[in-house]
Amino acid sequence: MSATPQPVGGPPGPPSTVAARVRIDHYSAVHLAAATARQIALDSGLPGALPDRAAVLASELASNIAKHAQEGSVFVQPLPLRPGVEILAFDRGPGIPDLEAAFTDGWTTTNTLGSGLGAVRRIASEFTLRTNPGAGTVICARLTAPGAPAVRGPDLAALCLPRESEDSCGDGWAVADTGDPATETPQRTVVVVDGLGHGPPAAEAADTALRAFRRGPDLPLPALMTSLHKSLRRTRGAAVGLLRLRADGHAEHCSVGNVRAQTVGFDGVRSRLSGQPGVVGWNMPLPRVQRIPVPPGSLLVLHSDGVDPRWTYDPTRFLLRLPPPLLVASLAHDFRRSRDDATVLATGALLPLPDAPPDGGRRTGSPLPGSPEPRSPKRDE
């Protein structure tokens, strides 16, 4: 049993991007998962009984793994786009052969109360599950604060984990949505930072880069990369990957160092982009922007070298069809290099806005792929 809970909250400002991981290798880990979720919910400012509900979600998901599965983990972190907590559960089998029965209160295969998944679905603000019988199950349960604004644009998910047995994490990520979707072309800019090495000096470099990103996320990507380069000169430097999604069916990519980007669709990995050689803050080359097509329904994935890029060589159909939160959980669990910090981020594509109506009325945004899914369970055949 192990966990890597990180401090969340504290002084006003963006929450920590580092997730807590609880490995479910013994039933006693269930209590640790619940305590971790409760603390992160409290640190995230969730009011009233919501921290206790977060603890129940984590406890039920961890208990389900302990009783029915193997090689499982629970990840807990603040939600990326609005106030709330996200709890991800992943295991390597045996999967759920009958989902309808599994959600029925009182159904059990272990002589227990049998209310776990049904209770999770009822308590969670958003619930998504995919299971691959014989291989494993991955679940996302999100709990949002009352009155939290709806997400505008596609869903986004990320997991940032420190090197095994360490608390400091030299990786980090951030996202910025700019533009009014009703009146102008929206855009989403994301960054993944990998501080050189690991431990506190790498964490300092990552934090410095993220602060610089938040000061001007709508700058042209070469100017934004140059801004990060200047801010990192007094640190050990970092690898930096930038992606900007536009509503014209394309994305811009600018990366220096070992941060990789991929476009993922149901039919496979469509593009694989690596960074220019160099270190931001030390010997950065002239930043180069690549323009890549992003068909509707695609996901963009950005990750540090703590995630093995070989996941793109022959991904399973099950993996390719996962929505953002389940995809990042699967990649972080199955392809993470435990001797390095690791970050993986996935976001849905932006869709073009419809043309202005003939009467000159205002344009309105349209539903976008990658947005949060319905609460009803789905299963890939």
Side-chain angles (χ1 to χ4, degrees):
M1 174 179 64
S2 66
T4 54
Q6 301 296 319
V8 177
S16 170
T17 62
V18 182
R21 178 194 182 191
V22 180
R23 183 180 288 110
I24 311 301
D25 51 9
H26 188 272
Y27 201 83
S28 59
V30 174
H31 175 73
L32 180 58
T36 300
R38 179 183 289 106
Q39 188 59 54
I40 289 179
L42 287 168
D43 292 341
S44 299
L46 290 187
L50 290 182
D52 289 334
R53 293 181 185 177
V56 171
L57 291 175
S59 175
E60 294 291 353
L61 292 175
S63 177
N64 195 61
I65 293 173
K67 291 186 292 186
H68 303 290
Q70 57 187 350
E71 298 183 56
S73 293
V74 169
F75 304 95
V76 187
Q77 62 184 353
L79 274 174
L81 298 176
R82 60 200 188 283
V85 171
E86 178 177 72
I87 303 168
L88 301 163
F90 183 95
D91 66 70
R92 290 200 177 103
I96 304 174
D98 188 341
L99 272 179
E100 292 302 322
F103 281 99
T104 302
D105 288 345
W107 183 86
T108 177
T109 61
T110 57
N111 296 320
T112 57
L113 292 178
S115 60
L117 288 181
V120 170
R121 185 168 62 173
R122 286 192 299 272
I123 294 171
S125 306
E126 297 171 14
F127 178 84
T128 310
L129 180 152
R130 297 290 188 275
T131 188
N132 191 7
T137 300
V138 57
I139 300 172
C140 174
R142 289 172 168 176
L143 194 64
T144 57
V151 175
R152 304 188 70 177
D155 195 15
L156 176 140
L159 271 176
C160 178
L161 300 166
R163 178 179 174 175
E164 288 285 0
S165 76
E166 292 194 1
D167 292 332
S168 297
C169 184
D171 278 12
W173 63 273
V175 56
D177 287 334
T178 57
D180 182 353
T183 59
E184 59 181 283
T185 302
Q187 66 181 22
R188 168 173 289 177
T189 306
V190 299
V191 62
V192 166
V193 180
D194 182 356
L196 204 63
H198 54 87
E204 178 189 6
D207 290 343
T208 299
L210 294 180
R211 288 195 298 269
F213 172 84
R214 295 185 182 105
R215 286 195 294 268
D218 55 350
L219 290 171
L221 293 191
L224 183 53
M225 186 69 79
T226 300
S227 174
L228 269 61
H229 176 64
K230 292 178 179 178
S231 71
L232 287 168
R233 283 178 175 168
R234 295 187 178 182
T235 72
R236 60 170 51 188
V240 176
L242 294 168
L243 273 176
R244 175 162 291 156
L245 285 72
R246 298 189 179 276
D248 61 357
H250 289 79
E252 296 175 352
H253 170 253
C254 183
S255 182
V256 175
N258 53 12
V259 177
R260 298 171 181 265
Q262 298 88 18
T263 306
V264 178
F266 285 175
D267 56 347
V269 178
R270 295 167 176 159
S271 60
R272 299 175 179 84
L273 304 173
S274 56
Q276 300 171 252
V279 178
V280 182
W282 180 34
N283 62 344
M284 187 183 79
L286 184 67
R288 183 178 69 246
V289 175
Q290 297 171 285
R291 184 175 167 88
I292 54 176
V294 186
S298 300
L299 296 180
L300 282 160
V301 179
L302 195 64
H303 65 78
S304 67
D305 67 345
V307 175
D308 193 330
R310 287 180 292 182
W311 74 268
T312 65
Y313 292 176
D314 188 24
T316 65
R317 180 174 176 268
F318 179 78
L319 184 69
L320 293 172
R321 295 174 64 86
L322 294 177
L326 305 189
L327 178 61
V328 301
S330 297
L331 295 180
H333 192 279
D334 276 347
F335 295 93
R336 176 189 174 200
R337 291 167 168 164
S338 60
R339 296 181 62 83
D340 196 3
D341 305 319
T343 296
V344 55
L345 179 150
T347 176
L350 293 173
L351 280 182
L353 292 173
D355 293 333
D359 61 3
R362 292 181 62 183
R363 297 179 299 179
T364 58
S366 54
L368 299 174
S371 58
E373 300 205 354
R375 291 163 60 105
S376 57
K378 296 182 179 179
R379 170 181 164 188
D380 291 318
E381 300 297 334

